[in-house]
């Protein structure tokens, strides 16, 4: 798996972060809460989502080891409110740094500040890419781009196939694509009939990723940007 977070930032959390343990299915934080800490996932898996007014859940990210969650503007006098909810998909361990501590540490180490800004810029590009695909390519394009992102994040190459080593229900995929489970079921079944993917007990194998990329006129963005974490 490609490491997108600079190792220097990981070491910063390892040296100064407070260990937090969260059981599977528990919320790490909820939308609307005051944000005081930024967290690094040490082990485990976390789903970042938002609930719409009609109680529909939209999943923005599925984050694994060495992903930062709960990020908010630094060096700002105004207090921040969580705009999303983070829930543990498995037993998860995190390292938490409060806002004041992180700001102080970054000011003490200008080189580290630059690395953090580089990472933040990459996160902005990831978000822009995700929104572009969800808006421009319709429901089918949203599914195809989501499968490509999952392959770039959790994919394991096996001959000419890509095994996505992350358990996903059809509801999980629907939430990532901001559409209904019924529509996702139909589109996944269509891809299976065409031999583009195969599915086994919640795990997806992509047998023809070129088809998915051609269908959405994929721009072949770097795997550090075309990701789901």
């Amino acid at each position: 798996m490609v490491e997108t977070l600079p190792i220097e930032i990981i070491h910063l959390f390892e040296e100064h972060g407070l260990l937090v343990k969260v059981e599977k299915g528990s919320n790490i934080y909820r939308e609307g809460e005051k944000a005081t800490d930024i967290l690094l996932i040490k082990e485990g898996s976390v789903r970042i989502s938002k609930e719409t007014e009609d109680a529909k859940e939209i999943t923005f990210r599925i984050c694994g080891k060495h992903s930062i969650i709960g990020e908010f503007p630094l060096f700002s006098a105004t207090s921040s409110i969580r705009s999303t909810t983070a829930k543990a998909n498995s037993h998860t361990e995190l390292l938490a740094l409060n806002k004041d501590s992180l700001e102080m540490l970054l000011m003490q180490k200008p080189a580290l500040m630059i690395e953090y800004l580089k990472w933040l810029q990459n996160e902005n590009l990831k978000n822009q890419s995700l929104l572009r695909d969800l808006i421009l390519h319709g429901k089918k394009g949203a599914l195809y781009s989501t499968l490509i992102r999952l392959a770039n994040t959790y994919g394991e190459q096996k001959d000419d196939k890509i095994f996505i080593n992350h358990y996903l229900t059809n509801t999980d995929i629907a939430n990532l694509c901001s559409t209904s489970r019924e529509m996702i079921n139909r589109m996944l079944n269509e891809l299976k009939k065409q031999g583009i993917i195969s599915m086994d007990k919640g795990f997806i194998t992509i047998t023809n990723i070129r088809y998915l990329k051609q269908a959405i006129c994929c721009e072949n963005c770097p795997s550090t940007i075309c990701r789901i974490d």
Side-chain angles (χ1 to χ4, degrees), residues 2 12-13 19 22 32 39 48 62-63 67 76 95 102 107 109 125 147 162 164 168 178 191-192 194 200 227:
V2 177
L12 182 72
F13 277 84
L19 180 64
V22 182
L39 305 109
I48 308 297
I62 299 176
C63 307
S67 292
S76 172
L95 295 169
L102 182 55
M107 285 191 295
K109 300 178 180 180
L125 290 173
L147 290 173
I162 301 174
I164 298 174
L168 292 160
S178 185
L191 290 175
K192 285 192 289 184
Q194 295 175 13
D200 182 28
R227 300 175 62 84

Side-chain angles (χ1 to χ4, degrees), residues 63-204:
C63 307
K65 184 176 181 179
H66 291 167
S67 292
I68 285 181
I69 64 171
E71 61 269 32
F72 50 82
L74 296 178
F75 306 104
S76 172
T78 57
S79 59
S80 297
I81 302 298
R82 302 287 191 197
S83 60
T84 57
T85 295
K87 180 177 287 187
N89 286 333
S90 62
H91 174 76
T92 299
E93 295 185 0
L94 308 107
L95 295 169
L97 268 175
N98 67 51
K99 181 176 184 289
D100 293 339
S101 296
L102 182 55
E103 289 175 347
M104 181 185 68
L105 291 165
L106 291 177
M107 285 191 295
Q108 290 174 349
K109 300 178 180 180
L112 199 60
M113 173 82 80
I114 292 172
E115 291 300 320
Y116 187 85
L117 291 174
K118 287 180 180 178
W119 168 80
L120 193 60
Q121 183 181 42
N122 191 76
E123 291 298 292
N124 289 335
L125 290 173
K126 281 168 55 178
N127 292 333
Q128 290 174 19
S129 174
L130 175 62
L131 289 173
R132 177 199 64 198
D133 288 346
L134 290 177
I135 293 171
L136 293 183
H137 298 303
K139 300 303 182 183
K140 184 174 288 188
L143 172 60
Y144 292 6
S145 66
T146 295
L147 290 173
I148 294 168
R149 282 183 167 79
L150 287 166
N152 288 339
T153 309
Y154 299 107
E156 297 177 359
Q157 192 77 38
K158 294 186 176 182
D159 298 323
D160 57 344
K161 302 176 182 178
I162 301 174
F163 172 69
I164 298 174
N165 192 10
H166 191 92
Y167 176 81
L168 292 160
T169 66
N170 285 11
T171 299
D172 292 333
I173 299 171
N175 290 342
L176 284 166
C177 299
S178 185
T179 189
S180 68
R181 186 184 62 184
E182 291 74 20
M183 181 170 289
I184 288 297
N185 290 345
R186 290 196 296 271
M187 291 191 290
L188 288 175
N189 285 332
E190 182 181 335
L191 290 175
K192 285 192 289 184
K193 289 178 182 178
Q194 295 175 13
I196 307 301
I197 67 169
S198 61
M199 300 181 70
D200 182 28
K201 299 177 181 178
F203 291 91
I204 299 173

Side-chain angles (χ1 to χ4, degrees), residues 15-26:
E15 292 172 13
H16 302 281
L18 175 67
L19 180 64
V20 179
K21 297 182 179 181
V22 182
E23 293 304 315
K24 179 180 178 179
S26 298

